[in-house]
Amino acid sequence: MNAEMPLILIVEDEREIAEILEAFLRQRGFRTEWARDGEEALRLFRAGSPDLVLLDLLLPRLDGMEVIKAIRRESRTPVIMLSARSEELDKVLGLELGADDYITKPFRPLEVVARINAVLRRSQSGGAAPDRP
């Protein structure tokens, strides 16, 4: 990651949810972009090189599962899935497709920010354990 604050791509078709996430993230110094559907998500992902993607599962034009498959073919960028689907099978499928975390709706914005920070810390360290003296 460069010296700028991390860029978070929010992929969410519900305007109210996207606006809440953007407000919380921007208050904490993150830069954000917002995609309203799966096709726009992939276009913005390829153009902007985000540091992390917050990805809703149920999207118009191309669903979240297809979006994460495409992202994983091209990149190891961290992805956190957001979904109203809270069944174990949905969570397992999302994680098996390459999501780094899975958050069910409704969610608390502060928890989302904390999870973003945790995933970014892991991705920046390469997942390695810290050195010990």
Side-chain angles (χ1 to χ4, degrees), residues 57-120:
L57 270 181
L58 301 175
L59 295 168
R61 301 176 79 188
L62 193 62
D63 72 22
M65 293 297 184
E66 292 303 315
V67 172
I68 194 168
K69 286 177 192 176
I71 288 172
R72 283 296 164 251
R73 283 191 294 268
E74 302 171 22
S75 171
R76 294 181 52 139
T77 299
V79 176
I80 297 176
M81 299 199 101
L82 295 172
S83 180
R85 293 181 176 177
S86 60
E87 296 297 318
E88 181 180 21
L89 184 59
D90 293 313
K91 293 177 185 180
V92 169
L93 181 58
L95 293 167
E96 285 183 349
L97 287 174
D100 296 277
D101 202 350
Y102 191 107
I103 302 171
T104 56
K105 296 177 184 177
F107 55 80
R108 297 188 185 270
L110 287 176
E111 179 184 358
V112 174
V113 172
R115 287 175 182 254
I116 287 170
N117 284 325
V119 168
L120 286 174

Side-chain angles (χ1 to χ4, degrees), residues 7-13 17-18 20-22 24-25 32-35 41 45 50-57 59 64 67 71 77-83 101-103 107 109 111-113 115-117 119:
L7 174 61
I8 310 300
L9 174 56
I10 300 167
V11 184
E12 172 61 61
D13 61 322
I17 291 172
I20 289 168
L21 288 168
E22 278 193 313
F24 268 83
L25 290 168
T32 63
E33 286 189 324
W34 174 29
F45 177 80
D51 296 288
L52 184 138
V53 178
L54 277 177
L55 177 61
D56 187 15
L57 270 181
L59 295 168
V67 172
I71 288 172
T77 299
V79 176
I80 297 176
M81 299 199 101
L82 295 172
S83 180
D101 202 350
Y102 191 107
I103 302 171
F107 55 80
E111 179 184 358
V112 174
V113 172
R115 287 175 182 254
I116 287 170
N117 284 325
V119 168

